Amino acid sequence: MRNRARILIPLVAAGLLAAGCTGGGSTPTPPASQPQSSQGAVTNPDQLPRNETLYTTGTQWGPPPNFNPIREWDSAVGTKGLVYETLFHYDTTAAKLSPWLAASGAWTDDTTYEVKLRPGIKWSDGQPFTAKDVAFSFELGKMETIPYHHLWNWLKSVEATDDQTVKFTFSTANYQQWDFMLYSRSIVPEHIWKGRSEKEVLDGTNENPVGTGSYKFLSKDQDRVVLQRRDDWWGKTTLGMEPKPRYIVDIATPSNEVAMGMLLQKGLDLSNNFLPGVANLVQGNFGLTTYYNEPPYMLSANTAWLVPNTTKKPMDDPAFRKALAASVDVKKIVEGVYGNLVKAASPTGLLPQWDKYVDQSVVSSSGFTFDAAKAKKLLAEAGYKDGDGDGYVENKDGSKISLSLIVPSGWTDWMESARSISASAKTVGIQITPDFPDFNALVERRAKGDFDLLINNERQLSNSPYTYYEYMFQLPIQKQQNTVNFARYENKKAWDLVEQLDQVKTDDTAGMQKIISELQQIHLDDMPIIPLWYNGLWAQSSTSVWKNWPSAEGGAPKTGAVMWRNWLELGGFETLTQLQPSGS
């Protein structure tokens, strides 16, 4: 359960990650209410027709704090993706944008992008959806606290040239970021949001949300939200698809064990929690499925890294960082901690979905693997020796090396991984002590650079490895590093290359590969972060009520069965349209 808190969005607003991990932030919790049917009669959520209801868990920690699509890190499940929609979705299998609210989008010249909207779309209150809504939604980013405010550093203007056409004019065309924006930004109705203050736009709970999406919120309570399908959703006719569950009930389960029990007792259909031991149940006759029927069982969602604070000795030395990388027995973590539910990362850390961007010649010449003997050799060659015979090397000046590795208290898989890293490091003479602060305390220390080592995984699968390298190399270093480059690694050449990559068109694979190869070389030469394993797109599904879950086998859907925030646009919604009642 706790592990779902690590599923955070890329490019999230500075300073707001803590809110994303607690589920509430400082936003007031809406009061509980009785479910209302579309006709206004009270409907008991326990009496929803089971064969028309999808029960999910794995995103929310507690009561739904808000229904605000601008708050992409802590809004109620389905706010973005089911109630509010984006201009495009991103097909992770085909690696391309899929038109959604937009019928099409194209660069008309080097700095102008034009979107044509689908005709006939209406908001759930019956008002027409137009280009003015799109222009208004992007212009909200001019407010400094809005997550996509930085877009206006290179977006000059957005204009609704007619009801179905939006023209975006840029001072600089950052193609990689723009594709990300197209499937990430929710479109809100101008006729409702116009006149809201910046504080209300960012912090408002947005009760009774009006969207273009296929669902509306039916009710909320302390441990759940209930959504009801809109039978007048525009996509039924225009896209030729419809989500199969009439109702979706997302439940905040208090622990992994509770989620597992509810799955086995048919009280849940989909768990997006990390569930230890689920592999044994998938192999048994328990009616549970995962994407793969063998290790690693799950698709990969993000990369977990060991992040050294490069402003502190000896982590400021690339030779020490390389020795540290060679000291980590990732295989032991994959097998012993995760039971093969995750996959060891490649030396580059790029997700398997980005394999075409991995320069194997760079990996062959500069990559690393677990090798205790090599780690000891690298330390000795760099001048790190055990002068006092205590089994641990000292700094080059003879001072003690005693490092702390922090991960959040309660994140049991990461806590065990930290212990494993500490044990591996000890065998090569590096002293590392695991430390488990409260999550909010960790976030504060991480931002200030008050740490030696930490584990982090805050870059998800996206449209481009640009987001991965933007995390690794972003400059300048701030006094508070809230969302990227926690290693505080400074390499102007690398950051220049990342900015060059941003200006390569996303269909220019060769152009992207050339720059990414150079970035991989810098990464493996300097090791500012150490890739460990690929965290899974946790998805354990029951076939008792719904079938045709995504699977690598046969003709099953190849999307992700996931309700996490910011993943419905990456195939999660399409999964809902391909489900089938098990009784059919």
Side-chain angles (χ1 to χ4, degrees):
M1 181 81 165
R2 286 177 291 268
N3 302 289
R4 69 189 179 210
R6 296 198 300 275
I7 308 305
L8 300 176
I9 62 170
L11 311 182
V12 71
L16 291 167
L17 286 174
C21 292
T22 58
S26 59
T27 307
T29 300
S33 66
Q34 288 296 322
Q36 301 288 324
S37 74
S38 57
Q39 287 76 34
V42 174
T43 304
N44 187 329
D46 295 328
Q47 296 176 353
L48 295 173
R50 186 64 183 93
N51 64 342
E52 294 184 281
T53 305
L54 180 74
Y55 286 88
T56 67
T57 193
T59 302
Q60 294 192 164
W61 282 83
N66 66 79
F67 305 88
N68 184 345
I70 303 300
R71 297 184 65 86
E72 298 164 349
W73 52 93
D74 71 348
S75 54
V77 172
T79 299
K80 177 186 168 193
L82 298 182
V83 176
Y84 293 92
E85 297 178 299
T86 53
L87 292 173
F88 289 81
H89 280 194
Y90 184 73
D91 184 333
T92 58
T93 302
K96 67 177 184 179
L97 293 169
S98 301
W100 205 253
L101 290 173
S104 64
W107 291 94
T108 57
D109 60 45
D110 286 346
T111 56
T112 307
Y113 190 87
E114 186 177 86
V115 169
K116 290 286 187 182
L117 300 178
R118 298 185 188 274
I121 297 176
K122 291 186 177 181
W123 296 99
S124 56
D125 65 358
Q127 293 296 310
F129 164 76
T130 73
K132 289 183 179 179
D133 296 308
V134 176
F136 172 80
S137 299
F138 277 88
E139 284 181 335
L140 287 176
K142 291 179 178 179
M143 298 176 175
E144 290 187 6
T145 60
I146 303 308
Y148 47 97
H149 174 66
H150 69 283
L151 170 63
W152 285 91
N153 293 335
W154 43 283
L155 174 61
K156 286 173 60 177
S157 66
V158 55
E159 178 187 1
T161 57
D162 60 44
D163 282 350
Q164 305 303 129
T165 309
V166 191
K167 183 172 78 170
F168 297 87
T169 305
F170 299 90
S171 55
T172 301
N174 292 327
Y175 300 110
Q176 305 283 326
Q177 284 192 68
W178 182 239
D179 272 16
F180 177 83
M181 291 284 173
L182 286 170
Y183 73 83
S184 298
R185 303 281 81 96
S186 296
I187 306 302
V188 300
E190 181 185 26
H191 67 279
I192 290 177
W193 285 64
K194 189 174 183 179
R196 291 186 179 184
S197 67
E198 182 169 348
K199 180 171 178 54
E200 188 177 3
V201 169
L202 181 67
D203 294 333
T205 55
N206 191 43
E207 295 283 348
N208 304 312
V210 172
T212 55
S214 56
Y215 285 85
K216 60 184 179 183
F217 284 109
L218 182 63
S219 71
K220 57 186 180 290
D221 213 326
Q222 293 304 302
D223 70 339
R224 68 190 59 201
V225 291
V226 182
L227 297 107
Q228 181 179 19
R229 192 179 64 206
R230 287 178 54 202
D231 290 333
D232 60 348
W233 178 55
W234 63 271
K236 284 177 65 175
T237 53
T238 304
L239 299 175
M241 61 172 63
E242 182 180 38
K244 298 307 184 289
R246 180 171 294 278
Y247 303 97
I248 296 176
V249 181
D250 189 84
I251 300 171
T253 45
S255 70
N256 292 339
E257 291 76 15
V258 170
M260 179 76 86
M262 292 179 69
L263 266 180
L264 293 172
Q265 294 165 19
K266 305 179 182 180
L268 277 178
D269 301 301
L270 171 65
S271 171
N272 291 133
N273 305 75
F274 166 63
L275 299 181
V278 75
N280 294 328
L281 299 179
V282 170
Q283 298 294 345
N285 188 27
F286 293 95
L288 297 185
T289 66
T290 49
Y291 190 83
Y292 300 109
N293 58 15
E294 60 186 15
Y297 296 98
M298 314 289 171
L299 291 166
S300 297
N302 55 64
T303 305
W305 308 284
L306 181 61
V307 180
N309 184 339
T310 64
T311 66
K312 290 188 172 187
K313 289 185 180 298
M315 285 81 66
D316 62 343
D317 183 355
F320 182 86
R321 299 195 296 262
K322 286 184 175 181
L324 180 60
S327 78
V328 181
D329 189 349
V330 174
K331 185 172 184 284
K332 186 174 288 186
I333 295 172
V334 168
E335 295 176 352
V337 176
Y338 284 100
N340 290 306
L341 289 178
V342 301
K343 184 177 178 181
S346 77
T348 68
L350 288 176
L351 289 163
Q353 295 92 329
W354 290 331
D355 274 350
K356 68 180 178 181
Y357 297 109
V358 176
D359 188 332
Q360 295 298 343
S361 65
V362 171
V363 173
S364 296
S365 64
S366 305
F368 68 95
T369 187
F370 169 61
D371 187 334
K374 182 175 182 181
K376 291 178 181 178
K377 183 171 182 286
L378 288 169
L379 288 169
E381 289 175 348
Y384 299 96
K385 298 177 182 177
D386 179 12
D388 59 9
D390 67 351
Y392 296 110
V393 298
E394 287 89 45
N395 277 308
K396 297 175 187 180
D397 62 5
S399 60
K400 285 277 189 184
I401 296 176
S402 180
L403 306 178
S404 169
L405 168 56
I406 59 173
V407 301
S409 175
W411 292 19
T412 53
D413 54 333
W414 281 20
M415 291 166 69
E416 286 303 313
S417 297
R419 293 185 181 105
S420 180
I421 291 169
S422 171
S424 294
K426 182 178 181 180
T427 65
V428 306
I430 300 174
Q431 185 173 18
I432 297 176
T433 303
D435 182 20
F436 310 131
D438 170 81
F439 178 80
N440 289 335
L442 181 147
V443 168
E444 184 177 348
R445 289 174 59 182
R446 185 179 68 191
K448 292 190 300 185
D450 180 20
F451 70 93
D452 297 326
L453 300 163
L454 56 80
I455 298 176
N456 188 250
N457 71 332
E458 288 174 16
R459 271 299 186 258
Q460 305 299 313
L461 176 64
S462 74
N463 60 295
S464 166
Y466 164 82
T467 59
Y468 183 86
Y469 290 109
E470 189 250 2
Y471 168 95
M472 194 186 305
F473 295 123
Q474 189 184 94
L475 294 178
I477 302 300
Q478 307 291 335
K479 186 176 180 181
Q480 293 273 327
Q481 286 290 108
N482 288 307
T483 60
V484 294
N485 197 354
F486 297 126
R488 294 174 172 256
Y489 172 74
E490 296 191 61
N491 187 319
K492 187 175 185 303
K493 179 183 177 183
W495 180 236
D496 286 345
L497 284 168
V498 174
E499 292 187 308
Q500 289 176 36
L501 176 62
D502 198 6
Q503 294 176 29
V504 176
K505 291 188 175 180
T506 52
D507 60 357
D508 182 2
T509 300
M512 291 175 64
Q513 287 171 330
K514 181 178 183 298
I515 295 175
I516 290 171
S517 172
E518 294 182 67
L519 290 168
Q520 287 169 40
Q521 189 67 64
I522 292 172
H523 175 204
L524 294 176
D525 283 346
D526 262 20
M527 206 63 68
I529 60 175
I530 300 167
L532 299 172
W533 66 83
Y534 299 127
N535 266 315
L537 188 66
W538 312 125
Q540 294 95 181
S541 311
S542 167
T543 57
S544 62
V545 178
W546 300 97
K547 64 181 182 180
N548 201 37
W549 293 99
S551 169
E553 301 297 314
K558 300 298 183 279
T559 52
V562 62
M563 297 291 288
W564 288 335
R565 299 177 187 95
N566 310 296
W567 280 83
L568 286 162
E569 297 78 28
L570 296 174
F573 179 83
E574 284 77 358
T575 295
L576 298 176
T577 70
Q578 297 173 87
L579 290 177
Q580 299 169 5
S582 292
S584 62

